[in-house]
């Protein structure tokens, strides 16, 4: 038995981006194994503008009773909370979820990928992680509040990477702040993915041209510096003697000296 469900996604953000006029999220079910495709911007508006959590949940519900889900990803990311909602929908699903990066898993798409039960990088694919972005209008107090909230959101995202790959939040935040790009092998070496598989044999130029990456600091892995490993947690500093401890040592020394006299 084979079912197919289609949910429309967005057009390319600029005429130069080499993509179909309309993208689709396609879900199929066969012999207890489902395939879902997340092949667009993650956007709360959905429909013409991208893939919303509401649309993704609808597609997930339509799959019915399945044992395994293969989620194929080719997305530049998008809104954080829509991505978190999509990830939690997958976490709650009883099926075993394997995320397969077919082209690009950047920004919000990256933490959806690493949050699956298993993460597979197709050959020549890329993954990118970065700090959360936000737009604010108002006085200085509002800007400071926005910065604090962005830090909390970014720490929340860093926790997802740390849960998958190990390390601490500070180390992952440092990599996010610099906007770190990984090729398939580098993502596995960093612990963000479990294996490289030949599920999507596309070259680096195709990956780079799949989406408009001009909004990011680096437009693809080829233009980004080599990823650094997460910084290890600092060793705790040895305890220093307090003023009271020093006085106690001097007192004991005098006691021993007096006993010897």
């Amino acid at each position: 038995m084979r079912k197919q469900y289609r949910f429309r996604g967005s057009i390319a953000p600029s005429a130069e981006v080499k993509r179909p006029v309309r993208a689709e999220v396609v879900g199929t079910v066969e012999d207890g194994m489902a395939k879902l495709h997340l092949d667009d911007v993650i956007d709360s508006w959905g429909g013409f503008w991208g893939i919303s959590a509401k649309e993704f949940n609808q597609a997930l519900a339509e799959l019915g009773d399945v044992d395994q889900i293969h989620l194929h990803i080719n997305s530049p990311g998008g809104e954080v909370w829509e991505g978190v909602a999509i990830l939690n929908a997958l976490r709650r699903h009883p099926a075993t979820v394997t995320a397969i990066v077919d082209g690009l898993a950047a920004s919000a798409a990256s933490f959806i990928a690493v949050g699956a039960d298993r993460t597979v990088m197709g050959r020549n694919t890329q993954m990118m992680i970065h700090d959360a972005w936000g737009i604010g209008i108002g006085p200085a107090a509002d800007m400071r509040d926005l910065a604090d909230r962005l830090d909390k959101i970014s720490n929340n995202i860093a926790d997802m990477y740390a849960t998958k790959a190990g390390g601490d939040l500070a180390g992952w935040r440092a990599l996010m702040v610099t906007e770190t790009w990984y090729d398939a092998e580098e993502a596995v070496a960093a612990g963000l993915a479990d294996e490289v598989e030949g599920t999507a044999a596309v070259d680096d130029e195709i990956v780079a041209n799949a989406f408009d990456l001009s909004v990011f600091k680096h437009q693809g892995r080829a233009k980004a510096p080599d990823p650094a490993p997460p910084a290890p947690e600092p060793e705790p500093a040895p305890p220093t003697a307090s003023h009271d401890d020093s006085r106690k040592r001097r007192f004991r020394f005098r006691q021993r000296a007096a006993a010897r006299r």
Side-chain angles (χ1 to χ4, degrees), residues 173-195:
R173 277 298 303 278
L175 295 173
M176 292 163 64
V177 167
T178 59
E179 186 182 288
T180 303
W181 289 78
Y182 301 89
D183 62 25
E185 290 76 13
E186 289 166 343
V188 173
L192 294 172
D194 299 293
E195 65 176 284

Side-chain angles (χ1 to χ4, degrees), residues 105-139:
S107 191
S110 70
F111 64 70
I112 292 175
V114 305
D117 296 310
R118 188 163 183 80
T119 308
V120 177
M121 300 291 291
R123 291 180 182 174
N124 308 107
T125 58
Q126 298 180 17
M127 181 180 289
M128 185 272 280
I129 66 175
H130 71 149
D131 247 21
W133 296 352
I135 298 174
I137 299 174

Side-chain angles (χ1 to χ4, degrees), residues 31-49:
D31 298 328
M33 198 277 284
K35 289 184 180 180
L36 285 174
H37 287 258
L38 184 60
D39 292 336
D40 215 325
V41 176
I42 299 165
D43 189 283
S44 57
W45 285 21
F48 183 80
W49 301 104

Side-chain angles (χ1 to χ4, degrees), residues 104 126 128 179 181 204-205 207-209 211-225:
L104 176 66
Q126 298 180 17
M128 185 272 280
E179 186 182 288
W181 289 78
D204 289 340
E205 183 178 357
V207 172
N209 288 331
F211 298 99
D212 179 6
L213 304 179
S214 62
V215 295
F216 298 127
K217 185 183 300 183
H218 308 293
Q219 297 184 37
R221 175 64 187 88
K223 299 181 180 180

Side-chain angles (χ1 to χ4, degrees), residues 22-125:
R22 296 186 75 87
E24 295 177 334
V25 177
V26 181
T28 62
V29 178
E30 189 169 10
D31 298 328
M33 198 277 284
K35 289 184 180 180
L36 285 174
H37 287 258
L38 184 60
D39 292 336
D40 215 325
V41 176
I42 299 165
D43 189 283
S44 57
W45 285 21
F48 183 80
W49 301 104
I51 299 164
S52 68
K54 180 179 179 180
E55 291 170 325
F56 189 87
N57 284 336
Q58 183 181 353
L60 198 61
E62 293 280 358
L63 296 178
D65 186 15
V66 295
D67 299 322
Q68 293 194 41
I69 295 174
H70 284 186
L71 175 65
H72 292 261
I73 298 174
N74 183 32
S75 172
E79 297 182 28
V80 171
W81 297 119
E82 290 296 295
V84 172
I86 289 172
L87 176 56
N88 279 326
L90 291 168
R91 285 167 168 165
R92 286 191 296 267
H93 200 283
T96 299
V97 179
T98 300
I100 303 170
V101 180
D102 284 339
L104 176 66
S107 191
S110 70
F111 64 70
I112 292 175
V114 305
D117 296 310
R118 188 163 183 80
T119 308
V120 177
M121 300 291 291
R123 291 180 182 174
N124 308 107
T125 58

